[in-house]
């Protein structure tokens, strides 16, 4: 009888021990509790400040073509060559003046002869002045003397003009530079005949100024303004700091491209006809944009993960445009106001539930131009 209480005590302890080791009933989680927290930003218009590049050719700002003004004369001397700087009015070519010298002398003699004949005719006309109706000479003879005087004076004037023309052409035997600048090209040799062809004898870059003529799309033209700073990289690898001088007011109807002229310093290594690439470091544009981290790139192209009103994500394809300062513009994609996942690298599938947390987009900062 003494063992019965002990057995009951052990049984009770076993039951209590088993009760203590039992599991608590599981609590079922909701979809909202299982949702992953992600940072989101809105698709909205933002100012993109960043590097815009454009390529083009180096061309003279103003180019002067030099041709002889008189034809039919041989080139006696060529006084300058390509690569030389010349000043306005400097003689570039001297033509042979032997023929024109004789013509000037001959024309001078004819002009003097005509002037004397005109004076003689005018004197004869002056002697019959006031004799009209007096019967000394017929009216026909009086009129004839007066007409002869006028004709002689007209002939004298014509000969004087021809003499002046001959002297002017003689002065044009020295072919001079119309502007000061750098001689880019020479196409004349001693012995050539000044035949008035279409090919200029010299091409001169006024002031020696060469600038970059770059082509940009209509959208990029809106991001460039006169006076804007640009760093131009030459084919040699060297760079030059320039400024936008002119932005084309129109675009080509076929290519849909417009031109920008960038003024460059006068340097020996900046040659007309060369190649250059401009970097517009402070180009600004306003467009729908998102942070670059929000764009995912895979075999299907660029895309973003859009968070819907039900807090579920869905992939949306996008077409990207200019970028800078951590932002990228969306040419095609979700409308303004859409929420997209900030980190495109996050492993999310269509239909996944998320808990969106608003995040700030990076502030636009000017990009520094690399030299």
């Amino acid at each position: 009888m003494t063992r019965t209480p002990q057995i009951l005590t052990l049984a009770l302890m076993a039951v209590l021990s088993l009760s203590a080791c039992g599991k608590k009933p599981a609590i079922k989680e909701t979809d909202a509790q299982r949702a992953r927290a992600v940072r989101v930003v809105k698709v909205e218009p933002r100012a993109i400040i960043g590097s815009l590049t454009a390529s083009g050719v180096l061309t003279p700002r103003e180019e002067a073509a030099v041709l002889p003004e008189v034809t039919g004369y041989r080139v006696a001397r060529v006084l300058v060559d390509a690569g030389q700087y010349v000043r306005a009015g400097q003689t570039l070519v001297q033509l042979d003046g032997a023929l024109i010298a004789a013509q000037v002398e001959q024309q001078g003699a004819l002009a003097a002869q005509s002037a004397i004949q005109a004076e003689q005719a005018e004197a004869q006309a002056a002697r019959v002045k006031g004799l009209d109706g007096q019967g000394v000479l017929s009216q026909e003879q009086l009129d004839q003397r007066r007409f002869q005087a006028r004709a002689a004076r007209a002939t004298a004037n014509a000969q004087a003009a021809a003499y002046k023309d001959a002297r002017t052409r003689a002065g044009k035997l020295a072919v001079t530079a119309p502007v000061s600048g750098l001689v880019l090209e020479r196409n004349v040799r001693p012995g050539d005949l000044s035949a008035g062809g279409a090919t200029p004898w010299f091409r001169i870059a006024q002031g020696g100024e060469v600038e970059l003529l770059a082509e940009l799309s209509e959208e990029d033209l809106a991001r460039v303004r006169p006076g804007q700073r640009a760093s131009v990289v030459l084919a040699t690898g060297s760079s030059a700091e320039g400024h936008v001088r002119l932005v084309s007011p129109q675009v080509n109807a076929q290519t849909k491209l417009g031109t920008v002229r960038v003024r460059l310093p006068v340097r020996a290594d900046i040659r007309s006809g060369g190649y250059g690439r401009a970097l517009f470091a402070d180009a600004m544009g306003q467009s729908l944009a998102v942070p670059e981290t929000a764009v995912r790139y895979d075999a299907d192209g660029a895309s973003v993960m859009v968070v819907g009103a039900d807090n579920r994500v869905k992939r949306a394809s996008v077409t990207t445009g200019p970028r800078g300062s951590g932002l990228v513009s969306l040419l095609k994609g979700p409308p303004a106001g859409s929420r997209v996942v900030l980190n495109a690298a996050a492993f999310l599938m269509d239909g996944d539930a998320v808990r969106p947390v608003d995040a700030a987009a990076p502030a636009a900062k000017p990009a520094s131009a690399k030299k």
Side-chain angles (χ1 to χ4, degrees):
M1 296 295 294
T2 58
R3 297 188 58 183
T4 301
Q6 294 179 349
I7 294 173
L8 292 175
T9 301
L10 291 174
L12 180 61
M13 291 177 63
V15 171
L16 292 175
S17 176
L18 290 173
S19 299
C21 295
K23 294 183 180 180
K24 296 181 180 180
I27 301 175
K28 185 177 181 180
E29 290 183 335
T30 64
D31 290 342
Q33 290 174 325
R34 287 197 303 268
R36 177 180 175 182
V38 295
R39 293 192 298 164
V40 297
V41 293
K42 287 185 177 181
V43 178
E44 57 188 3
R46 293 186 174 92
I48 297 180
I49 305 175
S51 59
L52 169 67
T53 60
S55 302
V57 295
L58 300 173
T59 182
R61 175 178 176 177
E62 295 290 345
E63 183 179 313
V66 181
L67 283 165
E69 297 184 57
V70 292
T71 59
Y73 300 95
R74 293 287 177 185
V75 174
R77 291 180 298 162
V78 180
L79 304 177
V80 298
D81 209 339
Q84 292 183 241
Y85 280 87
V86 296
R87 65 182 184 279
Q90 179 179 340
T91 300
L92 308 179
V93 172
Q94 184 64 51
L95 300 177
D96 187 356
L99 294 177
I100 193 68
Q103 294 174 3
V104 170
E105 292 181 4
Q106 181 182 13
Q107 196 58 54
L110 291 174
Q113 182 182 10
S114 297
I116 294 173
Q117 291 174 348
E119 291 176 3
Q120 181 182 12
E122 289 171 346
Q124 291 177 353
R127 283 197 292 269
V128 298
K129 185 177 181 180
L131 297 180
D132 297 82
Q134 295 184 9
V136 178
L137 292 174
S138 65
Q139 190 62 40
E140 182 180 357
Q141 291 174 322
L142 296 175
D143 292 340
Q144 184 178 8
R145 288 193 180 188
R146 291 165 184 162
F147 290 147
Q148 286 177 346
R150 291 167 61 185
R153 176 53 60 188
T155 301
N157 291 340
Q159 292 294 350
Y163 179 42
K164 182 180 180 181
D165 176 70
R167 287 185 289 123
T168 300
R169 287 188 289 113
K172 297 295 183 180
L173 294 178
V175 181
T176 59
V179 296
S180 299
L182 175 67
V183 178
L184 300 175
E185 186 177 316
R186 165 192 159 184
N187 297 303
V188 61
R189 301 164 299 178
D192 286 349
L193 185 67
S194 59
T199 303
W201 280 3
F202 295 94
R203 290 175 49 241
I204 300 175
Q206 185 172 357
E209 295 182 70
V210 175
E211 59 188 14
L212 178 68
L213 180 62
E215 290 187 328
L216 289 87
S217 66
E218 185 176 2
E219 179 184 357
D220 289 338
L221 278 180
R223 303 175 62 193
V224 181
R225 63 190 182 279
Q228 184 174 337
R229 183 174 57 87
S231 179
V232 176
V233 180
L234 307 176
T236 58
S238 61
S239 63
E241 290 299 321
H243 293 84
V244 176
R245 181 179 69 85
L246 180 66
V247 179
S248 173
Q250 64 178 358
V251 295
N252 186 285
Q254 282 72 40
T255 64
K256 303 303 179 183
L257 298 176
T259 58
V260 171
R261 287 183 172 268
V262 180
R263 181 189 296 114
L264 298 173
V266 178
R267 286 183 3 194
D269 61 334
I270 301 179
R271 299 180 176 87
S272 176
Y275 167 85
R277 179 169 53 85
L279 173 65
F280 305 93
D282 56 346
M284 178 180 290
Q286 188 83 11
S287 62
L288 292 179
V290 295
E292 287 184 308
T293 57
V295 182
R296 175 189 299 180
Y297 298 93
D298 52 29
D300 296 325
S303 64
V304 294
M305 298 303 289
V306 180
V307 179
D310 57 355
N311 289 340
R312 293 186 180 276
V313 297
K314 183 178 181 181
R315 182 183 183 276
S317 298
V318 296
T319 300
T320 60
R323 63 187 64 210
S325 305
L327 297 173
V328 56
S329 63
L330 301 182
L331 304 181
K332 292 182 180 180
S338 301
R339 296 179 302 171
V340 298
V341 178
L342 178 61
N343 184 12
F347 186 74
L348 293 171
M349 304 294 290
D350 280 0
D352 286 352
V354 296
R355 284 187 290 116
V357 179
D358 290 337
K365 297 180 180 179
S368 59
K370 296 180 180 181
K371 296 185 179 181

